[in-house]
Amino acid sequence: MKYMLIVGDGMADEKIEALGGKTPLEYVAGANMARVAGGELGRIRTCPTVFSPGSDVAFLTLLGHDPVKCYRGRSPLEAAGEEIALRENEVSFRMNLATIDGPYEGGVMASYNGDGIDGEDAYRLADDLTHNPEFAALMEQAKMSITVTDTFRHIAVVDADDEPFELTPPHDIAGRVIDDYQPKGQKAELMRALQKTAHRILSEHPVNKKRVAEGHMPANAVWFWGAGRATILDSFTEQFGKTGSAVSAVPLVRGIAWLSGLKAPRIPGATGTLDTNYEGKVQAALDALRSGDDFVLLHLEAPDDLSHLGDLEGKVESIRRLDTRMVGPVLGALDASGEDYRVMIMPDHYTLLSTRTHDGTPVPYAIYDSRRPGAPRVFCEDACADKPVLTSGVQLLKRLFEQD
């Protein structure tokens, strides 16, 4: 028996007038997801109410952990996804490349991800910034190191005591003036200075001048958030008796998987955006099962990304591509294998277009069993609205694995 969990990040939403009073999931009514929904339907609270809803807490739940017991911040999980091991006296942060519209004081968070910057441009901006003498001097004062990637996501690590950091996720302040959301708490003055200095340096960088000439917003700022300390997670295999992998473009998901003892391959061209390498990710997931894994988590970030941008058309298209370019090929390949299988599909949390932020409402899920296929039905929030709410990832995975 093979098992797959397919997650459309943030694809759950409210009903939207522009979609005829339907949610994006309901509007798309994907035929392949409908096939999965012919099986068991249910709901789960992936984000305990003591936390702000987000993928960090949600994916801990989805891989069978209790966030209340193990969560120590988002960034250590992302650091693990970049194979960065934290010492006990260290705190890590996410450092986003972002876009600030207007002067720094009084400026507006125009894009939490630098207008989707990635690849060589993202790497060069962050790498040049860390080697700028003025910025590097502030890093030294803060006892900070920065690991640069080829995405808008970079990892900063500092020596720190137990005083809290008070940092705001940039995707929670889209379209807002940044002044009221500057770093507070430990090292706040230095972190504010780092952000302000980065804005001045990056605004004049040749990469950003080129991007503006090409019609993009400049990635002219950095934003620190998601502070946390080293995290230890229980083994997925010891808990559920299954070996596995996680296929994702997002360091957070790879990090949680790696800390759980799962494999987390990097897929060329997997960006976390609408134009990700769908076929490469599907192939990697199927190859993992063929090579002996029992379980694969297959993740698409794009619905969440586009929700934060307030892009209704893009969110709808991302869900459509999830259905046709991921769920459909997975089902087809598993059918052709001749081996029994079970597939679960779900969002990790709601991400509302109306607010452009996450919401902690329990999410719908569907489980398809190749031995007991049912009549297809639209997979959406309403289809599961009357189902009981599970309260732990252990309950959810035991349903997938048929473990009583």
Side-chain angles (χ1 to χ4, degrees):
M1 177 70 76
K2 297 296 185 181
Y3 304 88
M4 190 175 294
L5 168 56
I6 303 176
V7 179
D9 204 300
M11 66 179 176
D13 209 322
E14 301 169 323
K15 294 181 182 294
I16 298 170
E17 184 177 350
L19 299 180
K22 298 180 178 180
T23 69
L25 262 176
E26 188 178 12
Y27 180 81
V28 170
N32 298 297
M33 288 189 283
R35 182 180 166 194
V36 178
E40 174 186 338
L41 296 178
R43 291 185 296 161
I44 177 172
R45 184 177 295 283
T46 56
C47 301
T49 56
V50 295
F51 295 108
S52 297
S55 292
D56 46 3
V57 175
F59 273 97
L60 285 170
T61 298
L62 293 184
L63 286 178
H65 306 292
D66 181 354
V68 174
K69 295 179 179 178
C70 68
Y71 183 71
R72 301 191 73 190
R74 178 184 179 114
S75 185
L77 305 172
E78 295 185 321
E82 298 294 345
E83 300 180 2
I84 301 168
L86 298 180
R87 297 192 298 268
E88 189 60 34
N89 65 321
E90 291 180 328
V91 170
S92 66
F93 309 88
R94 164 82 76 82
M95 186 186 82
N96 275 35
L97 286 172
T99 302
I100 304 299
D101 188 22
Y104 192 73
E105 283 83 6
V108 170
M109 181 63 70
S111 172
Y112 74 94
N113 64 3
D115 201 17
I117 190 170
D118 65 359
E120 183 180 347
D121 283 354
Y123 187 92
R124 184 179 169 193
L125 278 180
D127 190 57
D128 286 356
L129 179 64
T130 61
H131 288 91
N132 177 278
E134 186 178 0
F135 191 84
L138 289 169
M139 287 173 57
E140 185 174 0
Q141 289 181 51
K143 298 182 179 179
M144 176 183 289
S145 63
I146 294 175
T147 299
V148 172
T149 76
D150 61 355
T151 76
F152 70 89
R153 311 172 185 92
H154 309 276
I155 303 296
V157 176
V158 299
D159 287 344
D161 57 33
D162 292 333
E163 182 184 349
F165 293 85
E166 298 178 38
L167 306 171
T168 302
H171 51 259
D172 284 352
I173 57 171
R176 301 183 194 176
V177 175
I178 65 172
D179 294 4
D180 291 340
Y181 303 99
Q182 291 289 339
K184 299 178 179 65
Q186 186 174 177
K187 296 184 187 284
E189 184 175 349
L190 278 169
M191 297 182 77
R192 289 195 296 267
L194 283 159
Q195 291 186 174
K196 184 175 181 179
T197 302
H199 180 257
R200 176 165 45 78
I201 294 168
L202 293 177
S203 293
E204 299 301 319
H205 197 285
V207 166
N208 277 323
K209 291 182 177 180
K210 174 177 71 77
R211 286 176 61 79
V212 171
E214 293 171 348
H216 298 289
M217 289 189 287
N220 62 3
V222 300
W223 195 266
F224 297 105
W225 64 287
R229 295 184 181 271
T231 302
I232 298 174
L233 299 180
D234 293 334
S235 164
F236 184 91
T237 299
E238 289 180 7
Q239 188 170 13
F240 298 104
K242 310 294 181 187
T243 59
S245 297
V247 177
S248 174
V250 178
L252 169 70
V253 178
R254 295 199 306 268
I256 294 173
W258 183 74
L259 290 170
S260 304
L262 301 176
K263 297 184 287 294
R266 294 172 183 265
I267 312 303
T271 63
T273 67
L274 183 62
D275 295 322
T276 194
N277 182 3
Y278 295 88
E279 289 72 26
K281 292 174 74 174
V282 167
Q283 189 63 51
L286 294 171
D287 286 348
L289 293 178
R290 291 172 184 141
S291 67
D293 280 352
D294 303 307
F295 165 81
V296 173
L297 165 64
L298 179 58
H299 172 234
L300 180 66
E301 173 74 2
D304 182 68
D305 178 57
L306 293 156
S307 299
H308 289 309
L309 295 173
D311 185 345
L312 170 59
E313 182 178 346
K315 181 167 188 173
V316 168
E317 178 60 22
S318 69
I319 295 171
R320 186 175 290 118
R321 293 186 190 187
L322 173 69
D323 183 72
T324 59
R325 297 177 66 176
M326 295 183 83
V327 181
V330 162
L331 294 176
L334 291 174
D335 285 339
S337 74
E339 187 171 2
D340 293 336
Y341 68 89
R342 287 168 66 84
V343 169
M344 178 188 294
I345 189 163
M346 64 186 302
D348 58 335
H349 52 64
Y350 279 65
T351 309
L352 307 181
L353 283 158
S354 61
T355 62
R356 296 168 66 170
T357 60
H358 301 152
D359 182 88
T361 301
V363 298
Y365 70 82
I367 302 175
Y368 175 84
D369 190 318
S370 63
R371 301 164 300 178
R372 299 183 290 274
R377 50 188 169 182
V378 173
F379 176 64
C380 65
E381 299 83 352
D382 274 0
C384 305
D386 62 345
K387 305 302 180 185
V389 177
L390 304 181
T391 57
S392 79
V394 171
Q395 291 175 311
L396 181 74
L397 289 168
K398 284 187 173 182
R399 286 183 180 272
L400 175 63
F401 298 144
E402 297 183 290
Q403 296 175 344
D404 296 328

